[in-house]
């Protein structure tokens, strides 16, 4: 009897220890790293839960596609191209002749775009609503082919940097990282560097152009999307030699973070953490290097219709989503790790965009424009002072801060600049 009792006691003791001895199914799944392809052919690493999220996203994309196809069937293939519906606006621009049906279309379109454009329709919708089609129509039909032929074989600092960056742009992608992919990306980037010599080429554009190629399918359409992006959608001078526009955007973002997420901003200031350490890459690459591809493209869906304000919405949302974790961070490295883990695993675009549009608060393009004008004088003053300091250096030293030394140099350059401005 005593032996039987001892065995029961031992069994109960072992059973009580099972949660400790054997991790839960959720824990095992969370720790199991797997590789899988996303919607655009990128190989990403995640756990089993990430795979399930990606499958759910694919189902949402299919459902959203059915909504778009139903509208095309009932309203016509190009129902969203009403002349009264203005892209890159605050959503709706009204004319005296505006009919209720057009207003309904505009409101429907804004909601639909925020929920995502189906991948198969993205090329057509982007090209029309962004203004790329209109921009292309202002030049001869042979413009792009003539441009690529005219610049073939020409060597400039921009072309040398582009050639250096091609193999480093999404390495391992099944098409981008091939001779054909490199050639297509080179044509787009080199062509634009000659179209706009003020921009030429700036590191970060390689990631943007590469993703445009995957979506638009053709070099020429990707080229015109890049053109409308740099010339009409984004703030001026984001990619010019001194990156002044990017500096301004960083200052505006810091102000917005203080207003929209004051607890986070105060805590980061106490840690002496400069948000440009993470946000510079977001604004230069438009999240292409930071977020999963479908999440990036969902941000771009809104970007090409509502304008650059969506970049601020998305950037603020990333911080807002992890507010409690960030408030517990004690070191700069902790903050960077939290932000990077968050962005790398944001496979569900709705998780980001729900926060971006529902929990950040209302922002208009006019409000952001006023913030830019407020920041520009200080930025330009600091850039002038920096230029004077550089002019006093030897030529070799000056090369170290050239904008195209490397992409990481952008981050450090702007972080150092921000610290100087704020000191």
């Amino acid at each position: 009897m005593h032996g039987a009792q001892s065995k029961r006691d031992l069994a109960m003791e072992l059973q009580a220890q099972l949660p400790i001895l054997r991790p839960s199914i959720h824990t095992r799944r969370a720790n199991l790293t797997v590789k899988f392809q996303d919607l655009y052919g990128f190989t990403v690493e995640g756990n089993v839960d990430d795979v399930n999220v990606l499958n759910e996203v694919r189902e949402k994309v299919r459902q959203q596609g059915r909504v778009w196809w139903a509208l095309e069937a009932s309203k016509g293939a190009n129902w969203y191209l009403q002349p009264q519906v203005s892209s890159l606006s605050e959503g709706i621009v009204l004319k005296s002749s505006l009919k209720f049906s057009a207003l309904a279309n505009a409101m429907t379109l804004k909601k639909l775009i925020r929920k995502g454009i189906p991948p198969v329709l993205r090329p057509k919708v982007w090209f029309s609503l962004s203004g790329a089609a209109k921009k292309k129509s202002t030049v001869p039909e042979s413009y792009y082919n003539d441009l690529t032929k005219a610049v073939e074989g020409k060597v400039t600092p921009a072309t040398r940097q582009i050639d250096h960056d091609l193999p480093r742009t999404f390495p391992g992608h099944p098409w981008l990282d091939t001779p054909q992919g490199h050639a297509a990306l080179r044509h787009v980037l080199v062509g634009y560097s000659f179209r706009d010599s003020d921009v030429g080429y700036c590191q970060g554009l390689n990631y943007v152009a590469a993703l445009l190629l995957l979506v638009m399918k053709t070099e020429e359409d990707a080229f015109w999307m890049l053109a409308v992006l740099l010339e009409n959608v984004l703030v001026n001078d984001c990619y010019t030699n001194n990156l002044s526009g990017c500096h301004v955007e960083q200052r505006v973002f810091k102000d917005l973070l203080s207003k929209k997420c004051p607890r986070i901003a105060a805590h980061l200031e106490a840690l002496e953490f400069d948000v440009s350490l993470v946000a510079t890459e977001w604004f230069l690459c438009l999240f292409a290097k930071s977020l999963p591809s479908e999440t990036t493209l969902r941000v771009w869906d809104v970007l090409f219709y509502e304008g650059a304000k969506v970049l601020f919405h998305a950037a603020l949302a990333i911080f807002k989503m992890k507010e409690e974790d960030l408030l517990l961070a004690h070191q700069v490295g902790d903050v960077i790790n939290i932000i990077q883990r968050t962005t790398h695993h944001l496979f569900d675009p709705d998780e980001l965009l729900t926060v971006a549009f529902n929990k950040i608060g209302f922002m208009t393009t006019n409000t952001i424009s006023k913030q830019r004008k407020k920041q520009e004088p200080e930025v330009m003053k600091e850039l002038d002072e920096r230029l004077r300091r550089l002019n006093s250096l030897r030529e070799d030293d000056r090369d170290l801060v050239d904008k195209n030394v490397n992409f990481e140099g952008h981050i450090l350059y702007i972080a150092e600049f921000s610290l100087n401005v704020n000191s």
Side-chain angles (χ1 to χ4, degrees):
M1 190 72 179
H2 178 73
Q5 181 68 37
S6 297
K7 287 180 180 178
R8 282 198 300 269
D9 292 343
L10 181 60
M12 292 177 64
E13 184 179 348
L14 288 172
Q15 188 174 5
Q17 292 180 11
L18 278 178
I20 301 172
L21 298 175
R22 186 176 64 185
S24 68
I25 292 175
H26 180 76
T27 301
R28 293 201 305 276
R29 289 171 61 186
N31 291 332
L32 179 63
T33 300
V34 294
K35 289 185 177 182
F36 52 94
Q37 277 198 340
D38 67 10
L39 293 168
Y40 285 86
F42 291 97
T43 299
V44 291
E45 289 188 1
N47 57 39
V48 177
D49 291 332
D50 291 329
V51 176
N52 291 335
V53 169
L54 192 65
N55 288 333
E56 291 172 4
V57 169
R58 286 175 172 163
E59 180 56 33
K60 288 180 184 178
V61 168
R62 284 190 285 269
Q63 293 174 2
Q64 189 68 358
R66 287 193 283 270
V67 173
W68 279 80
W69 291 122
L71 283 168
E72 294 224 336
S74 64
K75 296 188 176 186
N78 296 317
W79 66 272
Y80 48 84
L81 295 182
Q82 294 287 340
Q84 296 90 350
V85 178
S86 176
S87 62
L88 304 181
S89 67
E90 291 308 312
I92 306 167
V93 172
L94 304 181
K95 294 184 177 180
S96 58
S97 61
L98 182 63
K99 297 180 180 179
F100 178 79
S101 60
L103 175 61
N105 277 351
M107 297 179 69
T108 299
L109 181 60
K110 183 176 181 178
K111 291 179 180 178
L112 274 178
I113 287 176
R114 287 190 174 190
K115 289 183 178 180
I117 302 171
V120 69
L121 290 177
R122 267 198 182 112
K124 180 175 76 166
V125 177
W126 279 10
F127 206 68
S128 300
L129 294 181
S130 67
K134 183 177 181 179
K135 185 176 287 290
K136 180 183 176 182
S137 70
T138 62
V139 298
E141 189 174 341
S142 61
Y143 177 92
Y144 179 73
N145 288 333
D146 293 343
L147 177 63
T148 54
K149 289 178 183 177
V151 304
E152 188 175 353
K154 292 187 176 181
V155 178
T156 66
T159 63
R160 284 193 291 268
Q161 187 63 48
I162 289 169
D163 289 334
H164 182 66
D165 287 345
L166 290 176
R168 303 193 300 176
T169 306
F170 297 125
H173 188 274
W175 182 75
L176 289 172
D177 195 13
T178 65
Q180 294 80 7
H182 290 171
L185 182 57
R186 189 182 193 279
H187 289 158
V188 172
L189 291 172
V190 170
Y192 193 80
S193 75
F194 280 89
R195 172 181 169 86
D196 188 343
S197 58
D198 289 335
V199 171
Y201 170 71
C202 177
Q203 287 180 309
L205 290 179
N206 50 323
Y207 296 101
V208 175
L211 210 47
L212 286 173
L213 274 169
L214 289 180
V215 174
M216 303 306 296
K217 310 299 184 187
T218 71
E219 289 180 24
E220 186 170 6
D221 285 353
F223 171 85
W224 286 112
M225 287 301 300
L226 184 65
V228 80
L229 186 64
L230 299 183
E231 296 166 15
N232 301 96
V233 179
L234 300 178
V235 66
N236 291 334
D237 301 328
C238 258
Y239 297 96
T240 51
N241 190 58
N242 62 4
L243 300 173
S244 61
C246 190
H247 292 306
V248 170
E249 298 294 78
Q250 294 303 303
R251 293 279 303 257
V252 172
F253 176 61
K254 289 173 191 175
D255 280 355
L256 289 172
L257 187 66
S258 297
K259 293 174 182 175
K260 301 292 185 178
C261 307
R263 295 172 65 209
I264 297 175
H267 184 65
L268 296 182
E269 185 176 356
L271 294 178
E272 297 184 344
F273 176 81
D274 193 287
V275 293
S276 63
L277 286 171
V278 292
T280 298
E281 181 178 283
W282 300 346
F283 282 83
L284 281 176
C285 298
L286 309 182
F287 297 101
K289 198 169 180 282
S290 308
L291 295 173
S293 63
E294 179 61 19
T295 304
T296 300
L297 297 179
R298 283 284 300 278
V299 173
W300 289 14
D301 287 344
V302 186
L303 173 68
F304 287 124
Y305 184 60
E306 297 187 42
K309 69 174 184 177
V310 70
L311 301 178
F312 294 99
H313 276 279
L316 289 167
I318 291 170
F319 280 89
K320 184 67 175 177
M321 290 169 66
K322 291 297 176 180
E323 180 168 8
E324 298 307 320
D325 290 343
L326 289 169
L327 292 177
L328 295 175
H330 298 295
Q331 297 178 356
V332 168
D334 296 335
V335 176
I336 293 175
N337 288 336
I338 291 169
I339 295 298
Q340 289 184 342
R341 281 199 307 269
T342 302
T343 54
H344 292 168
H345 290 271
L346 267 174
F347 295 106
D348 185 355
D350 290 329
E351 187 180 357
L352 173 68
L353 294 178
T354 297
V355 176
F357 295 119
N358 297 341
K359 297 185 179 180
I360 294 301
F362 187 66
M363 289 190 293
T364 67
T365 298
N366 286 337
T367 300
I368 293 174
S369 295
K370 289 177 181 177
Q371 287 288 324
R372 287 172 178 148
K373 289 180 180 178
K374 174 184 173 183
Q375 299 294 346
E376 280 174 2
E378 282 299 315
V379 167
M380 297 312 298
K381 178 182 176 181
E382 176 63 24
L383 285 172
D384 288 341
E385 291 176 0
R386 185 181 182 89
L387 183 60
R388 283 195 293 272
R389 291 197 300 270
L390 290 179
N391 287 334
S392 67
L393 298 175
R394 300 191 313 273
E395 187 71 27
D396 290 345
D397 294 330
R398 238 177 286 167
D399 290 340
L400 293 175
V401 291
D402 181 81
K403 69 167 185 172
N404 281 325
V405 170
N406 55 52
F407 184 77
E408 290 74 17
H410 284 316
I411 311 299
L412 296 175
Y413 171 47
I414 291 180
E416 177 193 348
F417 171 85
S418 300
L419 291 172
N420 289 335
V421 169
N422 293 323
S423 60

